[in-house]
Amino acid sequence: MALMISELEQTAAEATARLADVADLDALAALDAEFLGKKSALTTAKKQLGGLDPDERKAAGQAVNEIRKRVEAEIADARARLTATARAQQLEAERLDLTELRNDIRRGSMHLVTQSRDRLEDVFVGMGFTVAEGPEVETAWYNFEALNIPEWHPARGSFDTIFVNLGEPEEVMLRSHTSPVQIRTMENTEPPIYIVAPGRTFRTDTADATHLPAFNQIEGLVIDRGITMGDLAGTIDEFVRAFFGGEVKTRLRPSYFPFTEPSAEFDISRPDGSWLELGGCGMVHPNVLRNCGIDPEEWQGFAFGFGIDRLAVMRYQLDDIRELVNNDVRFLRQF
Ligand code: FA5
C-alpha cells in the first residue's frame, strides 16, 4: 500500500515536470489522458482500492484522491495558460495593418462649383433674398412662352435647347436657363418677391474654354413697387463687391432679352484687363408680369441670370472652364 502511494507521488512529480514544458493544447490533451485517463496509474490505483482492508482503504483512498486533485489542478492551470497564449497568437495573426491607410487619409472638399453656389446664396441671403428652386426638365411654357418668347420668336434659337423626346415636338426640354424659376415663383407668390434660384442648365453648346454643355446659373428676381434700373445696378455692384472683394470692375452693356426691357449684359474685368460676360439682366417685361397674373401698373421688378461656373473661373483664376468638369484630383485638391 505504502509502495503504491509512493509510486503515485512519483507519477505526480513526473506530471508536474512535464506540464512545466508542455508546448500546446494538443500536447496537454495527451498528458491529460496519460496521467488521468482510464489506463493511468491514478485510475488503476483507484480501482485497486476495492481489494484493500476497510481501514487501509480509507487512508489510501484519501491519499489517491489528494494526488489526483493536485494533478487535475496543475493540468487546469496549464490549460488556462496555453489557452491565453493561443488566443494572443491568433489575435496577432489576424491583426490588420492599417498604418498605410491611415497615412493616406485626405479629407475631401466641396467641388468649386458647389462652393461658389453656397457663397452666392450666402451673399444674396445677406442682402434679403430667399432661395428658390425649379425642375431641370421644363415645358415650353416655362422655358420660353411665359418668358415672352413665342414659338416663332428667333430668340428661341439662341438658347441652343436640348429637347426631350416627350409629348409634342419641342414641348419638353432640359431647361436652357434658370429663368423658368421666375415664372414658377411669380405664379405661386404674391409680390413683393426677392428670390435667387441657382441650378443646373443645359445647352447644345460645345465645350470650350468658356462654355460647357451642362453648366449652372443663378437667377435673381425682384418684384416690388417703384423698382428701377438703379436698383438693379446697385444690387449687381453690391453682389460683386461681396463675392469678389473690391478688385473687380463691372460694366453693363445694352443688350436684348425678350423677357426684360430694357435689357443689359453684365461683364466683369479679368486680371489682364479684358472683360468676361457673366450674365444678362434687365427690367422684367410687362408681358411676363401679365403672364403670371401680376399687374405691371402696380408692380415692377428686375431680373438677372449669371453663369456660376464662370463666376468660379473668375474667382479662382482658372484658365479654362473645363477644369471644373475634368475631375482631375490634382486640380480639385487645391481648393
Ligand atoms: C440667359 O440665360 C438669360 N436667362 C439671363 C437673364 C436672366 C437675362 C434674367 C435677363 C434677365 P445667356 O444666354 O446670356 O442669358 O446666359 C447667361 C449666362 O450664363 C452667360 O452670361 C454665361 O455666364 C452663362 N452661360 C451661358 N451659356 C453657357 C455655357 N455654355 N457654359 C457656361 N456658362 C454659360
Side-chain angles (χ1 to χ4, degrees):
M1 175 61 224
L3 182 64
M4 182 179 91
I5 300 298
S6 92
E7 275 174 10
L8 287 179
E9 284 291 6
Q10 262 178 33
T11 308
E14 189 197 337
T16 306
R18 289 178 55 195
L19 283 169
D21 288 343
V22 66
D24 56 35
L25 286 163
D26 287 344
L28 180 69
L31 286 185
D32 192 339
E34 183 178 337
F35 290 105
L36 299 175
K38 276 189 199 147
K39 291 182 187 149
S40 67
L42 274 164
T43 305
T44 311
K46 198 172 177 187
K47 282 184 196 147
Q48 287 168 356
L49 290 173
L52 297 177
D53 293 340
D55 286 353
E56 255 188 333
R57 196 193 300 154
K58 190 174 177 209
Q62 275 174 358
V64 171
N65 262 344
E66 188 270 320
I67 295 169
R68 188 179 182 92
K69 286 223 165 74
R70 215 180 325 132
V71 174
E72 279 174 357
E74 283 175 13
I75 287 178
D77 281 354
R79 182 171 292 119
R81 178 164 43 84
L82 289 173
T83 307
T85 312
R87 176 105 186 101
Q89 278 167 354
Q90 187 188 7
L91 285 178
E92 182 61 26
E94 288 177 359
R95 197 165 72 113
L96 294 178
D97 183 2
L98 300 174
T99 47
E100 197 180 333
L101 279 176
R102 200 160 47 229
N103 290 340
D104 198 35
I105 285 179
R106 274 174 195 265
R107 295 184 62 185
S109 55
M110 293 289 187
H111 191 273
L112 273 192
V113 171
T114 310
Q115 289 184 35
S116 303
R117 179 185 159 150
D118 287 352
R119 193 176 162 85
L120 284 163
E121 287 183 11
D122 285 350
V123 167
F124 281 109
V125 166
M127 290 163 73
F129 288 71
T130 54
V131 178
E133 280 189 334
E136 290 176 357
V137 178
E138 273 294 8
T139 59
W141 168 257
Y142 288 106
N143 201 69
F144 292 128
E145 258 136 64
L147 287 161
N148 203 31
I149 318 174
E151 211 173 334
W152 50 263
H153 201 293
R156 281 211 185 185
S158 72
F159 283 99
D160 301 315
T161 310
I162 299 172
F163 292 98
V164 174
N165 192 5
L166 202 71
E168 297 288 306
E170 307 202 347
E171 174 57 28
V172 180
M173 61 211 71
L174 300 183
R175 65 178 175 192
S176 50
H177 51 171
T178 43
S179 298
V181 188
Q182 288 185 36
I183 306 301
R184 291 181 177 274
T185 306
M186 286 190 279
E187 276 180 352
N188 295 323
T189 322
E190 294 287 317
I193 294 171
Y194 290 78
I195 56 118
V196 284
R200 286 208 295 175
T201 44
F202 308 85
R203 292 185 194 177
T204 54
D205 291 348
T206 305
D208 64 21
T210 53
H211 294 81
L212 293 171
F215 57 104
N216 296 267
Q217 289 187 340
I218 183 165
E219 192 82 9
L221 175 70
V222 167
I223 305 288
D224 209 337
R225 291 190 175 89
I227 296 288
T228 69
M229 197 83 181
D231 297 306
L232 168 59
T235 304
I236 290 177
D237 260 2
E238 181 60 35
F239 146 74
V240 170
R241 216 190 335 270
F243 191 78
F244 289 105
E247 329 279 86
V248 171
K249 289 203 288 279
T250 65
R251 73 173 183 193
L252 286 176
R253 286 178 283 118
S255 185
Y256 172 76
F257 295 99
F259 33 94
T260 46
E261 179 60 35
S263 302
E265 244 154 356
F266 160 73
D267 303 333
I268 59 177
S269 64
R270 287 183 164 128
D272 67 1
S274 66
W275 296 94
L276 178 70
E277 180 201 307
L278 213 56
C281 57
M283 301 304 290
V284 179
H285 197 289
N287 286 351
V288 175
L289 294 173
R290 272 187 223 106
N291 284 338
C292 301
I294 293 176
D295 179 3
E297 300 296 321
E298 187 182 354
W299 302 99
Q300 301 76 43
F302 65 79
F304 56 80
F306 303 155
I308 298 182
D309 314 76
R310 289 201 187 166
L311 280 165
V313 164
M314 285 301 295
R315 196 174 142 74
Y316 299 98
Q317 316 233 323
L318 311 182
D319 297 329
D320 193 313
I321 201 169
R322 287 168 292 191
E323 294 277 20
L324 293 172
V325 291
N326 286 341
N327 281 341
D328 182 335
V329 285
R330 289 165 303 179
F331 167 78
L332 293 172
R333 273 183 186 150
Q334 298 173 67
F335 304 100

